[in-house]
Amino acid sequence: SIFERGYEDLNIKLDTAKGMFVLKIFSKLRTSSFPQQNTIAMETLYKHGVPIPHLLAANNKSLQTIKFNNMITQYCVMEYFDGKSFLEIDPQEKDFLAISHFLALFHSVNLSVQSDYDSWGVTNVAAEYQKNKRYLRQEDFSMVTSAVEEFRSADFSKCKKTLIHGDIQKAHVLKNSNGKYCIIDLGCIANDYSIFDLGIFFGQFGIDIEHARLSATIKHSFHEYKKDSQLSEYEISLIPSIMRAQHAA
C-alpha cells in the first residue's frame, strides 16, 4: 500500500513472507546528490542510536539503482515501524523528554550535508515573509510581522550549528504500543542551528498544551537535552522566538 502523506518521494509498504518493509522511491525532482546523501545520513544516525528506520542493504549498498528506457530510478528499502504518529497521540512529558534526548543524539552526529531550499522552513522565514507578506490577511499581518522581526533580531552567531532534522513535527515522530519511538522523513536535514530543531519541536508538539504546563515541560526537556549536547542560556532564550517564527512560516 502507498503512504499518502509526503510530497516528493514515493513510499510503499510491502507485506512479504519475511515481514513488513517500506520501499522508498526517490523523486526525480530531488537534486542528484539527495538520494545518496539521504541514505548515508540514515545509516550514520542509526549507528549513533537515533531511532530512525533501519535500512536494508543489497550487495553492501543501501541505495539501489534501476535503469530502464534510459531512465534512472533510485530507491532504498527499510524496516517498517508499526506505530502511530503524534497526530494520533497526545504528547506527554515523557515523550518530550525522549524526543529531546533523541535530538541531542542527532545533533552530536558529525556529518556534512547539502540541503534543499525549504520555503516552509524556519531558516527562510524572513525571505518568504518578504516575498509573500502582501498575501497575508489583515488580522494575521501584525502577528506574523512581529514574529519575523523578532526572529531577525536574534544574534545566531552565538549559536552552534550541527546536523539538524529540520522538520520535527507531529507527523514525523512515531510511537508504538511498546513505547518505542521512530523519527522519519529526513527530507529537510541540514547543517544549521540546533535550536531550530528544538524550537520547531516545542512549537509543533506544544501547540495544544496549556501554557504553564508546556513551560514546565520545556524546562525539563532542556535538562534532558543537555545531558548529551551543549545548550547555552542565550540559545535557550531564543527558543520562544523560534517557536513563533515556525508558526509564522
Side-chain angles (χ1 to χ4, degrees):
S1 61
I2 296 175
F3 292 96
E4 295 182 0
R5 291 190 65 89
Y7 296 97
E8 288 91 0
D9 305 319
L10 175 62
N11 296 288
I12 303 172
K13 183 167 69 173
L14 306 175
D15 192 352
T16 76
K18 293 187 177 181
M20 298 180 69
F21 305 93
V22 175
L23 168 66
K24 175 184 281 292
I25 301 174
F26 291 99
S27 169
K28 298 190 186 309
L29 298 176
R30 298 287 195 181
T31 60
S32 59
S33 61
F34 179 86
Q36 183 174 21
Q37 173 180 276
N38 188 263
T39 51
I40 289 174
M42 290 184 70
E43 291 170 340
T44 305
L45 289 162
Y46 186 84
K47 289 176 182 177
H48 278 77
V50 180
I52 62 170
H54 181 213
L55 287 174
L56 304 180
N59 298 320
N60 295 317
K61 295 190 300 181
S62 299
L63 181 63
Q64 305 298 322
T65 301
I66 295 176
K67 295 180 180 179
F68 182 74
N69 288 345
N70 296 320
M71 295 181 64
I72 297 176
T73 298
Q74 293 182 294
Y75 68 93
C76 63
V77 177
M78 64 195 80
E79 293 179 351
Y80 173 73
F81 183 86
D82 188 10
K84 295 180 179 180
S85 81
F86 280 89
L87 292 173
E88 304 174 83
I89 306 170
D90 290 331
Q92 305 300 312
E93 180 167 304
K94 63 182 179 181
D95 300 313
F96 276 82
L97 298 182
I99 297 168
S100 296
H101 168 64
F102 299 143
L103 285 177
L105 295 180
F106 202 112
H107 298 161
S108 69
V109 172
N110 183 20
L111 183 66
S112 178
V113 298
Q114 292 182 329
S115 54
D116 291 337
Y117 184 84
D118 180 11
S119 60
W120 291 358
V122 68
T123 304
N124 302 309
V125 65
E128 290 299 315
Y129 169 78
Q130 285 301 123
K131 288 194 296 184
N132 298 300
K133 62 182 179 180
R134 64 184 182 276
Y135 301 117
L136 287 169
R137 297 180 300 179
Q138 186 174 0
E139 59 266 33
D140 296 330
F141 187 86
S142 177
M143 179 181 64
V144 172
T145 299
S146 175
V148 172
E149 291 302 324
E150 185 180 7
F151 181 81
R152 280 174 170 165
S153 69
D155 184 2
F156 288 110
S157 68
K158 297 179 180 179
C159 305
K160 73 177 185 292
K161 282 189 172 183
T162 66
L163 180 71
I164 69 169
H165 181 281
D167 196 15
I168 292 289
Q169 56 169 287
K170 290 183 176 182
H172 294 161
V173 184
L174 311 179
K175 185 178 181 181
N176 68 15
S177 58
N178 295 320
K180 302 295 185 182
Y181 298 84
C182 185
I183 297 173
I184 62 173
D185 196 340
L186 301 186
C188 294
I189 57 170
N191 298 119
D192 215 331
Y193 301 107
S194 56
I195 54 173
F196 285 175
D197 263 354
L198 292 170
I200 293 168
F201 164 46
F202 294 142
Q204 290 289 324
F205 277 68
I207 194 168
D208 296 318
I209 299 177
E210 185 268 329
H211 178 73
R213 179 184 156 214
L214 178 61
S215 296
T217 297
I218 290 176
K219 181 179 179 180
H220 298 155
S221 297
F222 286 146
H223 179 74
E224 186 67 26
Y225 179 89
K226 288 194 287 185
K227 292 178 181 178
D228 297 288
S229 187
Q230 294 181 348
L231 194 64
S232 71
E233 290 302 314
Y234 182 72
E235 288 175 308
I236 289 175
S237 75
L238 294 181
I239 296 295
S241 298
I242 297 168
M243 292 170 66
R244 287 187 281 271
Q246 61 89 29
H247 284 303

